[in-house]
Amino acid sequence: MTELARLAAFAVAAILLAPQPASAGPDEARFRADADAFIRRAMDQVGVVPGLSIAVVDGEDVVLTAGYGLADIETGVPVTADTRFYIASSTKSFTALAVAAMAARGEVDPEAPLTTWSNVPGAPTDLFANVSLTDLLSHRSGLDNAPISFRAAFSGDHTPEGMQRLIAATGARPDAPHGTFRYSNAGYNIATTLLEARDGRDWRVMVREEVLNPLGMADTTGWISGARTDGAVIAAGHLGYPAEGPILSPLQKVDATMQSAGGLVSTADDMARWLEVQINDGVLDGHRVFPVGLVASTHRPLATNESTFGPYTRQSYGLGWQIGRYGDDVLIHHFGNFSGSRAHVSFMPARRIGVVVMVNEDVVAGGLADVIANYVYDWHAGRPDLEAFYDAAVGELVDRRDRGRAAIARQQAERAARPSMLARPVSAYVGTYESPLLGTVRIAERDGVMIVSMGVMEAVAGAFTEAETVRVELAPMQGQPIQFGGDGAVADRLVLMDETFLRR
């Protein structure tokens, strides 16, 4: 057993000794024992997922909340049901419900053209005249705005005023006209930028006041700094590709990169409340929190999305929710991942059961979240070959892990063998380069090596294949070339993400 596995087993033992609900019947107790054994076995076999948190709700009952493994391999802090995990794009359903709650009170018309209520100077009125909040939140707006999405989620280089100015960069998607589903963060970022400009309320305040406070989700927040001030344990993102074991992701979430399309951390205990209110259309702990039909309205299909994701089929998208099937059962769900974190949030409205699984690795084994969620659903469905099927499923996940590791190692070796394509010494490229759309790129030299940074992102530059280029991974596993320009002794511009940055 690896050191990571031994520490995970220690943390699991602590969970098993925790008090369980007094009302648990024999079936619930058997489920918890079976699920616990499977999760421990799966984590041990996969080996690269440091920590995991799970919540299971059956009707009005919280059947299971638990934590396993480690929140951070460097600190060795164990995961509990109170550990906060980044839920990434699963945030969208919270943002959408907040807007729906405002609409129910008549504070905004979700079907009205954006031009009838938004007041951002420079907004493309020709495009906004035919697009509504519902369009933006269901990914059918036909619009895109890469600068807003990049700054909000990746670089963190923004202010409210700066984001409002970037609204002018919104354009039509040539591959997805208005009314056509095309998933992206931009719709949510545009929607909340416009709402903040009108109301003066940060999206996090909106979600907290409209959703989190009414539900008593006190441990769910969009402020990393606030969570740390409260002394909470936040699971760090990890990358599981190195042969020697997982490492911390170099890109961790901070306040500036927590955004309305993916910007909450939550706990198993809080997410159990979220599942319960979804399954019961706004009723929590026997009390009505939201008006009848409000929560259910976010589950209604609004855009056609015929696709598959692993074992799940998808037919449509609502307000922050994918609507599809797992096997024969309707599954309303939203997953999320970012830089070493992965969240699975789903429920079956007919069977009135829901599952949340959050893990802190997502390069070679983030699919463990889905495997465990599926185990829960199939256990409750009475699948006869349950253990054999899921032993094989974990084996397949291990095979995918090994293939992923091998592919990454091969690619890294190939890149390391490339010769430098720079004609000048590194010092000739050092400087600050600016783009009005994407912000600032800083080039520095450290021990003869080029370091590239944008906002909170930083990476060592490697060789690329064209003259005067380097390759960077500002976001882990997402390599991009930088093309330098200029005829003098120093570079005077660079091109990154198809955008030109001029030396300051």
Side-chain angles (χ1 to χ4, degrees):
M1 181 181 287
T2 65
E3 181 64 19
L4 178 61
R6 282 194 291 272
L7 288 169
F10 174 80
V12 168
I15 295 300
L16 290 176
L17 293 174
Q20 297 295 339
S23 60
D27 286 347
E28 289 184 3
R30 184 167 60 88
F31 163 68
R32 285 200 300 270
D34 288 352
D36 178 82
F38 174 69
I39 292 169
R40 283 191 290 163
R41 186 166 71 249
M43 289 186 70
D44 188 43
Q45 290 177 14
V46 172
V48 297
V49 176
L52 178 150
S53 188
I54 183 171
V56 180
V57 173
D58 188 353
E60 297 85 13
D61 299 324
V62 178
V63 177
L64 173 66
T65 60
Y68 297 82
L70 303 177
D72 184 324
I73 60 172
E74 293 191 353
T75 65
V77 175
V79 173
T80 72
D82 294 323
T83 301
R84 301 187 192 191
F85 280 75
Y86 177 57
I87 66 170
S89 286
S90 301
T91 299
K92 290 181 174 70
S93 54
F94 290 83
T95 303
L97 181 58
V99 174
M102 294 168 59
R105 296 194 303 268
E107 295 175 7
V108 66
D109 182 351
E111 306 303 330
L114 302 178
T115 49
T116 64
W117 59 268
S118 61
N119 58 0
V120 174
T125 54
D126 56 332
L127 296 176
F128 282 9
N130 297 312
V131 172
S132 68
L133 274 173
T134 297
D135 293 330
L136 291 172
L137 300 180
S138 60
H139 305 289
R140 67 182 193 193
S141 69
L143 304 180
D144 198 12
N145 191 315
I148 277 184
S149 295
F150 176 77
R151 290 190 184 219
F154 289 92
S155 72
D157 181 11
H158 59 81
T159 62
E161 297 75 20
M163 295 297 258
Q164 291 165 29
R165 287 193 296 271
L166 285 174
I167 286 290
T170 303
R173 295 190 66 125
D175 61 335
H178 180 237
T180 302
F181 177 87
R182 188 70 80 246
Y183 185 87
S184 78
N185 286 344
Y188 281 71
N189 298 147
I190 293 169
T192 52
T193 298
L194 296 177
L195 286 169
E196 182 175 359
R198 189 193 74 163
D199 301 335
R201 187 165 61 158
D202 182 283
W203 76 270
R204 290 171 286 201
V205 176
M206 178 184 75
V207 168
R208 183 183 64 197
E209 294 178 348
E210 301 291 345
V211 178
L212 302 179
N213 285 352
L215 293 178
M217 295 179 67
D219 292 332
T220 302
T221 182
W223 284 279
I224 296 291
S225 60
R228 295 197 189 284
T229 300
D230 293 341
V233 174
I234 301 176
H238 294 77
L239 312 177
Y241 67 83
E244 60 272 18
I247 58 174
L248 281 178
S249 170
L251 185 61
Q252 302 286 338
K253 279 293 177 178
V254 297
D255 287 352
T257 56
M258 298 289 271
Q259 41 87 31
S260 61
L264 292 175
V265 292
S266 190
T267 67
D269 287 337
D270 267 12
M271 291 303 288
R273 300 177 75 80
W274 182 240
L275 288 175
E276 185 177 342
V277 85
Q278 300 300 321
I279 292 169
N280 296 285
D281 186 29
V283 175
L284 180 67
D285 296 332
H287 303 287
R288 177 154 293 284
V289 179
F290 295 114
V292 174
L294 177 63
V295 172
S297 71
T298 66
H299 308 158
R300 287 201 294 266
L302 294 170
T304 300
N305 173 26
E306 296 286 350
S307 61
T308 60
F309 186 92
Y312 315 106
T313 60
R314 292 170 171 171
Q315 288 88 41
S316 55
Y317 196 94
L319 288 176
W321 290 106
Q322 299 274 4
I323 299 105
R325 289 183 177 274
Y326 172 61
D328 294 330
D329 293 291
V330 172
L331 187 75
I332 299 177
H333 60 285
H334 212 298
F335 308 151
N337 69 294
F338 180 91
S339 190
S341 297
R342 172 79 153 79
H344 173 118
V345 182
S346 67
F347 63 98
M348 293 179 173
R351 288 172 51 188
R352 293 172 48 76
I353 184 172
V355 186
V356 170
V357 182
M358 301 174 287
V359 299
N360 57 356
E361 197 282 334
D362 187 46
V363 173
V364 294
L368 179 63
D370 300 331
V371 170
I372 290 172
N374 298 343
Y375 177 94
V376 172
Y377 287 124
D378 286 347
W379 189 99
H380 282 85
R383 181 171 186 139
D385 63 341
L386 185 76
E387 299 303 332
F389 180 86
Y390 280 96
D391 282 346
V394 172
E396 291 173 6
L397 188 59
V398 170
D399 287 343
R400 290 200 299 273
R401 176 205 67 189
D402 291 344
R403 291 195 300 271
R405 279 177 152 178
I408 292 169
R410 184 171 59 252
Q411 293 161 5
Q412 289 178 329
E414 291 171 353
R415 290 194 295 267
R418 290 173 180 167
S420 173
M421 300 299 287
L422 299 178
R424 291 168 279 202
V426 172
S427 59
Y429 305 92
V430 170
T432 300
Y433 302 76
E434 294 181 336
S435 155
L437 292 181
L438 293 184
T440 302
V441 173
R442 292 179 174 84
I443 306 293
E445 183 177 5
R446 190 181 303 158
D447 298 327
V449 175
M450 181 182 291
I451 307 297
V452 181
S453 61
M454 290 186 75
V456 302
M457 313 167 78
E458 181 178 288
V460 175
F464 196 55
T465 56
E466 308 294 331
E468 289 297 275
T469 63
V470 295
R471 178 187 181 276
V472 293
E473 288 189 8
L474 291 168
M477 318 310 296
Q478 298 181 34
Q480 295 167 319
I482 295 178
Q483 175 77 61
F484 290 100
D487 298 327
V490 298
D492 62 14
R493 66 178 61 87
L494 64 83
V495 177
L496 173 63
M497 294 180 281
D498 297 321
E499 183 68 21
T500 297
F501 296 71
L502 300 179
R503 180 189 283 271
R504 183 189 296 171

